[in-house]
């Protein structure tokens, strides 16, 4: 198994970006997924570029994407991720930030060739849960001020559609970067976190 820690082998680290949103929930879910997979990975809270540089994967939670994007840019977090080619898993606001374009003037990371529509499913009071299908399994999608994919670059061979809901793309992957519009950290199902961990480990 690739990148498992041991004598002379670097400990794999997944960072939970701690700027806003459901950070502790992502931390707990990632630890749970690691336990299920039986791999030796460190999970840590990260806030600055120097923290990011030591990570092998980054998770960006939901929250206010304009605030998170501004802090990411000001702290050079986006540069650290790009320079070190670190895979990112973005949920809700994280999906917006991973894109190259959205329907609002705000800082973006531009790691994926996608355009994202913010608040596609309405405001906080319009939050809902619904069964979706992802990786061939039924999964509970928790949608809170959720975005959806507006478009993606169909010429890119490394883009995969992972899930749709009511005809809208709600989960997409490009390379090892994953963007989803809902909140897997607010469920009891580790399926999607396990998938990202495997991408980080390249297994």
């Amino acid at each position: 198994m690739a990148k498992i820690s041991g004598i002379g082998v670097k400990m794999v680290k997944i960072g939970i970006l701690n700027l806003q949103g459901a950070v502790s929930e992502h931390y707990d879910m990632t630890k749970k997924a690691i336990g299920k997979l039986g791999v030796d990975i460190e999970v840590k809270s990260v806030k600055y570029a120097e923290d990011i540089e030591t990570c092998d994967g980054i998770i960006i939670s939901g929250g206010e994407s304009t605030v998170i994007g501004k802090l990411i840019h000001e702290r050079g977090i986006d540069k650290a991720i790009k320079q070190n080619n670190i895979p990112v898993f973005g949920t809700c606001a994280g999906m917006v930030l991973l894109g190259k374009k959205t329907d609002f003037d705000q800082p973006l990371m531009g790691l994926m060739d996608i355009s994202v529509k913010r608040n596609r499913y309405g405001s906080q009071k319009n939050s809902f849960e619904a069964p979706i299908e992802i990786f061939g399994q039924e999964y509970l999608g928790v949608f809170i001020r959720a975005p959806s994919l507006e478009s993606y670059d169909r010429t890119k061979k490394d883009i995969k559609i992972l899930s749709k809901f009511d005809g809208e793309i709600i989960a997409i992957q490009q390379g090892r970067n994953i963007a989803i519009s809902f909140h897997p950290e607010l469920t009891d199902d580790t399926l999607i976190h396990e998938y990202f961990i495997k991408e980080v480990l390249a297994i």
Side-chain angles (χ1 to χ4, degrees):
M1 184 176 288
K3 289 188 173 179
I4 303 303
S5 64
I7 298 173
V9 180
K10 181 177 80 72
M11 166 69 83
V12 174
K13 297 178 183 178
I14 293 180
I16 314 297
L17 190 61
N18 187 2
L19 299 180
Q20 196 191 52
V23 176
S24 62
E25 290 86 350
H26 267 298
Y27 182 94
D28 292 343
M29 184 64 83
T30 304
K31 291 285 287 184
K32 184 178 177 181
I34 287 168
K36 282 194 171 184
L37 289 171
V39 293
D40 190 6
I41 296 176
E42 178 184 351
V43 184
K44 66 177 189 173
S45 169
V46 294
K47 291 186 176 182
Y48 300 97
E50 53 266 34
D51 303 324
I52 301 293
E53 291 169 356
T54 66
C55 292
D56 301 280
I58 296 292
I59 296 176
I60 303 177
S61 64
E64 176 48 58
S65 62
T66 52
V67 174
I68 300 173
K70 183 178 180 182
L71 290 170
I72 284 174
H73 181 69
E74 287 178 350
R75 298 182 182 187
I77 291 170
D78 50 348
K79 290 182 180 178
I81 288 172
K82 291 173 184 176
Q83 288 172 358
N84 293 279
N85 196 29
I86 301 169
V88 178
F89 171 29
T91 65
C92 198
M95 180 187 211
V96 176
L97 293 165
L98 279 168
K100 290 191 173 178
K101 186 179 178 182
T102 188
D103 54 344
F104 190 76
D105 184 16
Q106 66 175 88
L108 299 172
M109 299 173 71
L111 295 175
M112 298 177 70
D113 294 296
I114 60 175
S115 175
V116 181
K117 182 175 179 57
R118 297 178 11 143
N119 299 333
R120 165 66 181 83
Y121 296 98
S123 64
Q124 190 86 12
K125 67 179 181 181
N126 301 119
S127 301
F128 66 96
E129 298 179 357
I132 64 169
E133 184 178 319
I134 188 166
F135 308 132
Q137 298 186 40
E138 186 172 289
Y139 190 92
L140 180 64
V142 179
F143 295 81
I144 304 172
R145 295 178 61 200
S148 71
L149 201 77
E150 197 161 52
S151 64
Y152 66 96
D153 188 341
R154 296 174 184 273
T155 69
K156 301 295 182 179
K157 305 292 187 182
D158 59 345
I159 288 182
K160 293 192 293 186
I161 307 303
L162 302 179
S163 183
K164 290 184 178 182
F165 178 71
D166 283 348
E168 302 276 354
I169 296 171
I170 55 170
I172 190 167
Q173 179 174 354
Q174 184 171 15
R176 293 192 295 161
N177 295 317
I178 300 166
I180 68 174
S181 66
F182 50 94
H183 290 265
E185 78 282 6
L186 300 181
T187 74
D188 295 322
D189 196 331
T190 60
L191 175 67
I192 300 175
H193 284 75
E194 288 180 42
Y195 183 87
F196 179 64
I197 291 165
K198 290 176 182 178
E199 290 296 303
V200 171
L201 295 172
I203 58 174

